[in-house]
Amino acid sequence: MPTPPITVRGLLLDMDGTLVNSDAVVARVWRGWAVEHGLDPEEVLRVAHGRQGHVTMATLLPDRPMERNIAENRVLLAAENADTEGIVPVPGAPAFLAALQDLPHALVTSAPPDLASARMVAAGLRMPQVRITAADVSASKPDPEGFLKGAAELGFPAADCAVFEDSAAGIAAGLAAGMPVVGIGPRAAEHGPTVHVPDLEHVRVTPLSDGRLRLTFTD
C-alpha cells in the first residue's frame, strides 16, 4: 500500500545523516576515541549518531566526571571541524532544500554552530535561516527540547511540525515532542519513525492553499 501523506505547517530537519552524509568523518574521529579508551568502535558509533559528543561519552563511560567529557569533546569537535573529507549531501538534499526555500522550515542539529556551518558548506547545501544547534539547548537528543524550540521559532505548535531524522536519538526526540517523524536512510528504519524512506529523493513537499504543507512519499 502507498504510504499515506502527512500534512503539517512546518518542517524540522536534522543535519548529519538526514541532509549531510558525514559518516566518514564521524567514523574516523569516534573510532579513534574508542580505541584510545579501549571501547568497541562499532558500539561507540551506534551511540554517537545524533547525540552531542559529551553525552555520548557520558553514556559510554558513566563513571567519568562530566568536566572531563566536556574537555575531551572540545578536542573531538576541533578535529571534526577540520575534517571535511568525504562529506557529501544525502541523495535528494539539494533539491529538497531548494523546494523549501520559501516554506517554513528549520535546522535542528546536535552539532554546535561552527560544525553545522562547516558541514553544510562542505556538502554544498544552503543553511536554513532558522536553526537550533547545540548552543541553543540545555539537553541533547533524545530529549525533545531542540525540536520543541524549532517549532516555537517557526511559530507553530509541536503537533503541526514534522521531523526529518536518521538516528535513534533523533527519532526518539521527535516522537517525544509529539511530532510525526520521517525517517531518512537505512539507519532510521529500525527505530520506529512514523514514515521511512531511503533518502530525500523519495519525499515531495507540496504547499497547500491554506498554508499547510503536504508531504508525500515514494518507495
Side-chain angles (χ1 to χ4, degrees), residues 73-126:
N73 190 46
R74 289 195 194 100
V75 176
L76 293 193
L77 283 173
E80 290 188 81
N81 269 304
D83 186 354
T84 57
E85 183 179 353
I87 289 180
V88 295
V90 166
F96 181 75
L97 279 176
L100 299 187
Q101 178 75 52
D102 298 317
L103 303 177
H105 67 287
L107 188 75
V108 181
T109 175
S110 294
D114 289 350
L115 183 59
S117 178
R119 287 187 173 168
M120 292 291 281
V121 168
L125 296 176
R126 171 186 64 81

Side-chain angles (χ1 to χ4, degrees), residues 126-137:
R126 171 186 64 81
M127 176 66 82
Q129 182 176 355
V130 179
R131 45 193 177 269
I132 304 296
T133 71
D136 301 307
V137 297

